[in-house]
Amino acid sequence: MAAMDGRRVVLLDTRRPSVPLLELPAHRASGLNAIAWAPHSRDHLVTVGEDGFAFVWDTACATSASSAAANATAVSVAASATRVMTDAMLTYDAKEGISNVSWTGGMQEWIGIVAGESVLALHV
């Protein structure tokens, strides 16, 4: 599950929603508009925002938790379990705000975005 909060995305495990798994703080002050999970992968998602950027994330790069955190108390797990990714796998600059995104199920290497008054297909 993912929650959007202005400029960031917080990924939650619904079995333990009080402990964020991962934070993606990439979009600038103008805000985050939409996210889409890849239909072919549990580790890939795309975020788009008013800053004109589309970021494709590979969450597997940040979710490999150390076994030490798994043995810690609940309080220290909550403090240490959240990972923050700062670098996206791929970045696209539309030069204007992106209001929506969709990752196609039939052709998994394509992402559709709505930037300004245009619909664009991005090959990833």
Side-chain angles (χ1 to χ4, degrees), residues 31-48:
L32 176 70
N33 284 340
I35 62 173
W37 284 98
H40 64 285
S41 169
R42 68 180 190 175
D43 297 323
H44 295 92
L45 73 149
V46 60
T47 62
V48 298

Side-chain angles (χ1 to χ4, degrees), residues 54-72:
F55 296 113
V56 178
W57 302 93
D58 181 358
T59 62
C61 294
T63 57
S64 56
S66 69
S67 59
N71 296 327

Side-chain angles (χ1 to χ4, degrees), residues 3-90:
M4 298 187 310
D5 174 16
R7 298 180 316 201
R8 64 189 176 129
V9 174
V10 178
L11 301 181
L12 304 171
D13 182 342
T14 56
R15 297 167 295 186
R16 292 187 57 204
S18 63
V19 181
L21 295 175
L22 181 63
E23 184 177 319
L24 310 173
H27 291 275
R28 296 188 182 129
S30 53
L32 176 70
N33 284 340
I35 62 173
W37 284 98
H40 64 285
S41 169
R42 68 180 190 175
D43 297 323
H44 295 92
L45 73 149
V46 60
T47 62
V48 298
E50 284 299 315
D51 57 5
F53 285 97
F55 296 113
V56 178
W57 302 93
D58 181 358
T59 62
C61 294
T63 57
S64 56
S66 69
S67 59
N71 296 327
T73 64
V75 172
S76 55
V77 167
S80 65
T82 302
R83 306 262 186 292
V84 177
M85 290 186 71
T86 56
D87 297 321
M89 184 175 84
L90 296 170

